[in-house]
Amino acid sequence: MSKTCYLCGVQIKFLDPSLKFKDKKYICGKEIKKYGFSKSPDSDSPTSKAFDWCWDHTSDDLNQMINEEKTFKDLVAEQEAEVAATKFQSSSTNSAVQNAAKKINNLLIPKEIKKQLIDAQVFDFWFNNKELKSLQDILEYKNGEIIKYAASGLKEEQNKSRTVLILCTNRRVLFLNKNMFFGGDSTDIPLNMINSVQLTTHLLLADITIINGATSTKLKQLNKAAARILAKTIKQESLKFQQKLLQPTSTTIKTTDSADEIRKFKKLADDGIITQDEFEAKKKQLLGL
C-alpha cells in the first residue's frame, strides 16, 4: 500500500525510504535528504535520531522547523549545544547517584527535567533512555509538575511484564514504556486516587504494589534501594496531595470571614447602633455584590 509524501505529494512505495510523524503523516526520501534527516548529504535513509524525533513530533513541528529555515541537523546541533551548556551537579556522595547524574546531563532533554531528576537523586533507570527523552512531551513541568523520584522496573499487564520507567511527581505516578523501535504508551495514577503502597523485598530486588480503588498495579524487579525510596516517596506525596485537597481554600476562608462580619453588623442593627440601610449596604459590600 503506497503512502503520499506530506510535503511534495509524491507516492511513497513500500520499500522507499520514508519517515512517519506522530500524526501519521509521511515524508519521502527526497524530503528526508533536503531537510537533514538523512545519514549523509548523499543519502535518503533517515538516522535513528530522525526516527525518534519524528515519532514524538507532528507535521506541525516539521512546518515550524521549515518556517524557521532550519534543518533537522540544526535542531540536533542546538540540542547538543544546550546539553553541553547545561550541566547540573548532584549533592549526593553516592557513586551510583553521581554516575547517573553524568548520564542525565548528557541526555537531550530540557534542562528543567534534568535538574529535577538530579535533585531527586535518581540512579536506577536501566534501558530507559527513550522514556527519559519522552518526558518533555508528557510531564507538565512548565506548569508546576515536579519529579520527586523515579526508577526502572517491570509492570504486570494482562499476565505480561513490560519494562517501564516509574515516576512519582507532585501530582501523579507515571508509568512510561517506549517500544524498542516505535510506539509505546504512558499511563498514570493521580496521587489522590492512591489508597496504599506495599513494598516487598527479596534477596536482591524488590516489588511494589500500588492500590487505587479496586485496582492493583504490580511493579516487579526493582533495585531494592531504589524501590524503598520510590515506595516511601509515593506514600509521602500521596498523603501530602490528599491533605492539600482537604484544606479549605482561600475562597472558603474568605466566605467564612464574611459571614462572621455580617453576623456582627446584624447584631449592631438589631441593637439600633446602626440603621437597617447601613446594615444592608455593609452586607452587600462584604458579599461583593
Side-chain angles (χ1 to χ4, degrees), residues 196-211 217-232 235:
S196 67
V197 181
Q198 300 168 3
L199 174 68
T200 305
T201 57
H202 306 290
L203 183 61
L204 298 174
L205 302 172
D207 303 335
I208 293 176
T209 302
I210 302 173
I211 310 294
T217 302
K218 295 185 179 180
L219 307 167
K220 292 187 170 185
Q221 296 186 28
L222 284 83
N223 173 284
K224 190 186 287 189
R228 286 197 179 102
I229 300 170
L230 181 62
K232 182 179 179 181
K235 287 178 183 178

Side-chain angles (χ1 to χ4, degrees), residues 85-146:
T86 312
K87 299 285 184 180
F88 297 101
Q89 297 295 321
S90 173
S91 61
S92 174
T93 57
N94 185 297
S95 60
V97 175
Q98 290 282 358
N99 290 333
K102 292 177 184 177
K103 293 179 182 178
I104 292 167
N105 272 320
N106 288 325
L107 291 173
L108 295 176
I109 57 178
K111 60 184 180 181
E112 296 90 344
I113 296 177
K114 280 187 193 180
K115 189 174 188 308
Q116 288 182 18
L117 289 166
I118 292 172
D119 286 348
Q121 299 188 7
V122 173
F123 68 90
D124 181 55
F125 49 90
W126 39 269
F127 303 120
N128 283 130
N129 279 6
K130 281 180 175 285
E131 284 78 7
L132 288 170
K133 289 177 183 177
S134 72
L135 287 177
Q136 60 188 318
D137 300 314
I138 297 168
L139 272 184
E140 298 173 0
Y141 66 97
K142 292 183 179 178
N143 294 314
E145 186 168 21
I146 301 169

Side-chain angles (χ1 to χ4, degrees), residues 153-208:
L154 299 178
K155 182 171 179 273
E156 280 196 350
E157 291 180 349
Q158 300 175 346
N159 298 321
K160 294 181 181 179
S161 294
R162 296 198 304 166
T163 302
V164 292
L165 179 67
I166 309 145
L167 293 103
C168 177
T169 76
N170 59 334
R171 298 178 183 175
R172 53 184 169 161
V173 178
L174 270 164
F175 310 102
L176 304 182
N177 170 265
K178 302 291 284 183
N179 292 336
M180 185 64 71
F181 298 107
F182 300 110
D185 57 36
S186 66
T187 56
D188 63 36
I189 305 174
L191 290 177
N192 63 310
M193 299 296 291
I194 294 174
N195 303 115
S196 67
V197 181
Q198 300 168 3
L199 174 68
T200 305
T201 57
H202 306 290
L203 183 61
L204 298 174
L205 302 172
D207 303 335
I208 293 176

Side-chain angles (χ1 to χ4, degrees), residues 17 21 23 52 87 115 141 145 165 168 226 262 264 271 277 279 287:
F21 289 82
D23 53 358
D52 289 343
K87 299 285 184 180
K115 189 174 188 308
Y141 66 97
E145 186 168 21
L165 179 67
C168 177
I262 290 170
K264 290 177 185 177
D271 292 342
D277 288 343
F279 165 70
L287 293 176

